[in-house]
Amino acid sequence: MPFSFFHLLCYITIIFAEVDAVNEGASKSKSKLRLFVFGDSYVDTGNWRKSIGSSWKEPYGITFPGKPSGRFSDASYLGIRTPIAYKWRKEVKRSKEYGMNFAYGGTGVLDTLANQPNMTTQIDFFQRLVEQKVYGKQDLDNSVGLISVAGNDYATYLARNTHNLQKLGDFTKKIMDQLEINIDRIRGLGVKRIAVTLIEPMGCIPLQAASSSYSNCTQALNLGSKFHNQMLNQSLQNLNAKDNSTVFITLDLYDAFFSALNKFTTHAPGSLGLKPCCEGKEMGKYYCGSVDESGAKLYTICENPNLSFFWDTLHPSQNGWHSIFSSLRSSLHKLTT
């Protein structure tokens, strides 16, 4: 199950704050920008139920806010408001003010191993709120969509087709057909600018790099990532060409990952490289957060998380995400222009 890159939402809301400040000076009546989020646990900020979500259990949240909070990452909150998780929309006053987060950890474009709402169902939730006039035309006229999805689709494929990459290209095409429908549907509901993340280099994720004792990325899977990203870029170009617009943009998570990883390992003496900070004591049997019947930990945490690029076997640490999104900031500005 991929883990949240909450920093992305933080960076976007920083940019929103900057734009809102400009807008407020220019027009007191202009609506605030709202962010609508769809995807997996890279952007899930609390939609899993507490009873089953590992994000609500230790060691998640140990660096911030000091306890589990429903986010799958150890990335810190930057003191700014982000969209409320859909699950909590009735529990929080003024919950719609900043948009809404429909993302569920473990999900994909298609059905995955996680029994949670896939992207199509997440859009159904959003459509219901639009039809109920929870978000009106003025809200949607000043809105941005963020989509981060597909990693779990590939994880599910690999789990069901162990070591069989021959038909991975056909599976990518299946993902892309449905993803293009989903993205166009979000636009049809009124969202004015939509950013879609390119998929990360899957072969560099610790779960895959473990076979080389974390010394090398799995190049075959990185080639799969490149093919996915090429198809995604083409799909978004086609959608923009339909009405000669620039509604859809990409956030290049693939290149940002590589750049940040190289810089981090080069300029951080003693860094763990591809090795995660938190991992199960027996790879494949236990994972970060596993405990036995008596509650004893079946995982280990590195002595200094600041030296880790990856928090667990699937996702970057706080420092890792910070490095990644430093290179994405210019792309994020395209969302508000």
Side-chain angles (χ1 to χ4, degrees), residues 90-112:
K90 296 180 181 180
E91 310 296 328
V92 180
K93 292 182 179 179
R94 300 174 68 185
S95 62
K96 76 166 194 171
E97 184 173 357
Y98 302 95
M100 197 161 291
N101 188 322
F102 301 92
Y104 279 78
T107 64
V109 177
L110 309 172
D111 288 336
T112 65

Side-chain angles (χ1 to χ4, degrees), residues 221-257:
L221 288 178
N222 284 352
L223 290 174
S225 293
K226 287 184 176 181
F227 181 64
H228 172 97
N229 293 338
Q230 289 170 357
M231 291 198 68
L232 178 56
N233 275 317
Q234 185 60 57
S235 292
L236 296 185
Q237 289 175 18
N238 293 341
L239 287 171
N240 280 329
K242 285 175 62 174
D243 54 9
N244 193 30
S245 71
T246 56
V247 171
F248 304 100
I249 69 167
T250 59
L251 298 178
D252 192 350
L253 197 58
Y254 186 93
D255 283 349
F257 236 87

